[in-house]
Amino acid sequence: EIEVISGTRVGGIISQNTTWTKEGTPYIITDTIQIPLGIKLTINSGVVVNMPTSGDMFLINGEIYAHGIPTEKIIFDGGNNSNFFNPKSSTIETFLDLEYCKIANGKSFWPTSGYKQNGAFSIRHCILENLSSYSCIWYPEKNTYIEYNKFVSTGGFSVKLLGDIKVYIRYNLFDTKYPYLHEYNDYCIQNSASFHTSETIVKYNSFLNMDGFVLKLPTGNDYSSMSATENYWGTQDITAIENMIYDKNDDVTCAGYIQYEPILTEPHPDVP
């Protein structure tokens, strides 16, 4: 017997506000879904989105609003070879809003576009697992929120900021990194630039089963910084924690030191 996959095949530019419903699931992306400026894609709880081919699942210049519920998450499956939300050419109007989603089996959640990417996102109460590449939060023009999520075997976040923009990375569980990361992107969170009064705020997270560096300020970047107090490291051993942090203690050409004390002695109760 030939297995027939029912569902909805989708691809290309979405030219008007659109809603994907559970009745149409699974949505099988045959070609990158492009969301222009001023257009909003709403994805309802219980929807499954698959991309069996390589490339980008979404090119987002407009908005995506995908709020599942705890008992009916929205699932994005990258087929082990695609990126998820590419912010190439995005602007201050570009926004990705995710709650109660599962993002699994792909490359980068928010890939570098090699071009301007000023869009921002909020991801809360989501599960991200088996993501083989890092994500690039490079010069968003709105605050970005990564909160109450569970990261299992994923690449990290590389952050560059201007102005008074904040990136809040709080109340997350980071449990193992993707095992085959290159040395240059082997971290959970890196800040490569923080100009003006911008900040990368890493707080109330749990970092468990970590090999190598968790937090990093790269060498030769004079304006990189982050604050990382009140996280749980799976250990009270300060030497072990310092071995998970790459900063001016490791190379004098790093911009400074990552403030990590005080530490939490047990996971924050709001961490999943």
Side-chain angles (χ1 to χ4, degrees):
E1 289 187 16
I2 298 172
E3 183 187 1
V4 177
I5 301 174
S6 61
T8 308
R9 295 184 177 274
V10 287
I13 293 178
I14 292 179
S15 56
Q16 60 187 18
N17 292 345
T18 299
T19 300
W20 289 357
T21 64
K22 188 178 173 184
E23 291 69 38
T25 231
Y27 286 83
I28 301 157
I29 296 179
T30 58
D31 185 31
T32 300
I33 298 287
Q34 298 188 37
I35 301 168
L37 191 63
I39 298 297
K40 182 176 186 177
L41 171 64
T42 301
I43 303 175
N44 289 351
S45 58
V47 166
V48 176
V49 184
N50 295 327
M51 185 162 181
T53 57
S54 61
D56 296 320
M57 198 177 265
F58 296 94
L59 177 61
I60 175 172
N61 282 193
E63 294 178 77
I64 295 176
Y65 180 90
H67 280 208
I69 56 176
T71 54
E72 260 190 330
K73 291 184 171 65
I74 297 165
I75 296 173
F76 299 91
D77 192 302
N80 289 317
N81 55 13
S82 61
N83 298 311
F84 292 89
F85 305 97
N86 190 333
K88 183 176 182 178
S89 304
S90 57
T91 70
I92 193 171
E93 304 297 330
T94 302
F95 201 73
L96 169 69
D97 190 344
L98 302 182
E99 279 196 12
Y100 294 107
C101 296
K102 182 176 181 180
I103 296 116
N105 309 321
K107 292 183 177 178
S108 175
F109 167 74
W110 192 258
T112 176
S113 68
Y115 193 62
K116 81 176 190 98
Q117 50 183 90
N118 302 133
F121 62 85
S122 169
I123 176 169
R124 292 181 164 124
H125 303 290
C126 292
I127 298 170
L128 295 89
E129 65 180 31
N130 192 31
L131 305 186
S132 63
S133 190
Y134 64 114
S135 293
C136 299
I137 307 171
W138 288 358
Y139 306 118
E141 293 186 343
K142 285 181 182 169
N143 292 347
T144 293
Y145 299 88
I146 302 166
E147 298 178 319
Y148 310 105
N149 305 294
K150 189 173 180 178
F151 296 88
V152 181
S153 188
T154 66
F157 290 96
S158 171
V159 183
K160 299 180 182 179
L161 300 173
L162 286 166
D164 189 37
I165 298 298
K166 317 294 186 205
V167 171
Y168 295 98
I169 304 175
R170 303 185 294 195
Y171 308 105
N172 302 287
L173 170 62
F174 292 88
D175 185 351
T176 68
K177 291 182 287 188
Y178 188 79
Y180 308 110
L181 297 173
H182 294 288
E183 185 180 347
Y184 70 87
N185 64 2
D186 185 9
Y187 50 76
C188 290
I189 304 156
Q190 170 179 282
N191 180 287
S192 299
S194 196
F195 297 103
H196 313 119
T197 55
S198 62
E199 289 182 273
T200 300
I201 299 160
V202 180
K203 201 165 193 173
Y204 306 133
N205 304 285
S206 292
F207 299 107
L208 302 180
N209 304 309
M210 290 292 162
D211 292 320
F213 296 112
V214 173
L215 307 180
K216 188 171 184 180
L217 302 181
T219 57
N221 294 57
D222 292 343
Y223 295 95
S224 62
S225 67
M226 78 172 81
S227 64
T229 59
E230 296 181 89
N231 294 289
Y232 177 67
W233 296 83
T235 178
Q236 312 300 309
D237 182 341
I238 293 301
T239 301
I241 294 170
E242 288 185 346
N243 286 337
M244 293 186 248
I245 296 173
Y246 190 92
D247 61 9
K248 209 173 181 73
N249 283 318
D250 301 276
D251 191 312
V252 295
T253 67
C254 293
Y257 303 94
I258 296 173
Q259 176 63 39
Y260 65 89
E261 292 187 281
I263 62 170
L264 295 183
T265 56
E266 57 186 27
H268 192 283
D270 292 335
V271 167

